[in-house]
């Protein structure tokens, strides 16, 4: 009987640890495969006749001729144009301009962590190269913590827009 109690207690601890882990880290969302047909700028793409605003980042504006706007657009093009990507919704479907709001994954993730986001999301790559700033708005903040860590690393390494910046600043929340 004592052995059974120990086994049940161990099972309970495993379930508890698993449950806490699920609660503390973002879970895998649902992913829709799309082929990107157009890149408007670093944070806006087109797929399936839909204009998509990439969630969580803001890149320099081409129309305002901001520094690094062309680099952001060129990197976005090289990573996603005419390629299959996996779009993930957060809480809101569309923004006030009727654009789809989505995270852009280059491949479906097996788990969610900073490394996976930095290497396999368009947002993470743009942030790590210093071509984007964290730019989140509630309620679409699922990956904000990870995006902030990636941006902080780019600032520390002084890449892209952070090259000549002492601290840099971010816009948004």
């Amino acid at each position: 009987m004592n052995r059974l109690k120990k086994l049940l207690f161990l099972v309970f601890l495993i379930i508890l640890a698993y449950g806490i882990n699920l609660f503390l880290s973002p879970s895998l969302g649902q992913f829709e495969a799309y082929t990107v047909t157009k890149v408007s700028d670093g944070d806006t793409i087109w797929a399936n006749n839909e204009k998509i605003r990439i969630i969580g980042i803001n890149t320099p504006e081409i129309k305002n001729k901001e520094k690094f706007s062309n680099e952001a657009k060129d990197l976005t093009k090289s990573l996603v144009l005419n390629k299959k990507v996996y779009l993930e919704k957060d809480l809101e479907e569309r923004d006030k301009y009727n654009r789809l709001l989505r995270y852009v994954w280059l491949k479906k993730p097996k788990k969610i962590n900073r490394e996976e986001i930095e290497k396999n999301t368009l947002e993470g790559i743009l942030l790590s190269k210093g071509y984007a700033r964290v730019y989140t708005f509630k309620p679409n903040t699922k990956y904000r913590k990870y995006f902030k860590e990636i941006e902080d690393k780019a600032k520390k390494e002084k890449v892209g827009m952070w090259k000549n910046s002492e601290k840099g600043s971010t816009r948004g929340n």
Side-chain angles (χ1 to χ4, degrees):
M1 188 65 163
N2 196 17
R3 192 172 186 188
L4 180 60
K5 284 181 182 179
K6 286 180 181 179
L7 180 60
L8 288 174
F9 183 69
L10 181 61
V11 169
F12 171 76
L13 289 177
I14 291 170
I15 291 170
L16 181 64
Y18 181 73
I20 289 171
N21 189 37
L22 284 178
F23 179 74
L24 293 177
S25 63
S27 60
L28 287 174
Q30 294 201 353
F31 303 92
E32 297 176 86
Y34 283 80
T35 298
V36 175
T37 55
K38 180 180 174 183
V39 173
S40 299
D41 57 28
D43 55 34
T44 309
I45 60 174
W46 290 77
N48 296 19
N49 294 318
E50 286 275 10
K51 191 173 189 179
I52 301 158
R53 175 59 167 92
I54 300 165
I55 302 174
I57 62 167
N58 194 38
T59 60
E61 297 296 328
I62 288 180
K63 64 184 175 191
N64 297 338
K65 298 180 181 169
E66 292 178 355
K67 198 171 182 182
F68 296 106
S69 59
N70 288 324
E71 290 87 343
K73 182 178 180 179
D74 290 346
L75 181 56
T76 297
K77 272 184 167 181
S78 74
L79 292 169
V80 301
L81 186 60
N82 299 318
K83 296 178 184 169
K84 184 180 357 180
V85 296
Y86 299 90
L87 301 181
E88 180 187 15
K89 179 183 164 191
D90 201 328
L91 294 177
E92 293 180 318
E93 183 73 20
R94 295 183 181 271
D95 67 6
K96 65 183 178 182
Y97 305 108
N98 203 35
R99 299 175 294 189
L100 280 180
L101 295 171
R102 297 294 187 269
Y103 298 105
V104 180
W105 290 86
L106 305 184
K107 65 179 192 175
K108 282 187 188 179
K110 291 184 172 62
K111 59 184 174 181
I112 303 295
N113 59 34
R114 190 184 65 83
E115 182 180 344
E116 187 81 11
I117 289 170
E118 186 172 355
K119 291 183 180 178
N120 293 314
T121 66
L122 181 56
E123 297 91 334
I125 294 168
L126 286 164
L127 287 165
S128 71
K129 301 287 186 191
Y131 297 148
R133 291 181 164 94
V134 174
Y135 196 65
T136 58
F137 293 93
K138 292 179 182 178
N140 302 306
T141 59
K142 182 176 183 178
Y143 299 129
R144 178 174 169 52
K145 173 185 152 206
Y146 296 114
F147 290 163
K148 188 71 178 115
E149 290 173 8
I150 296 165
E151 180 186 68
D152 289 346
K153 180 181 169 195
K155 285 179 182 180
K156 184 178 178 183
E157 294 174 356
K158 296 188 179 283
V159 296
M161 69 176 76
W162 312 117
K163 188 172 188 168
N164 297 318
S165 171
E166 283 299 311
K167 292 181 183 176
S169 64
T170 59
R171 291 183 269 174
N173 301 4

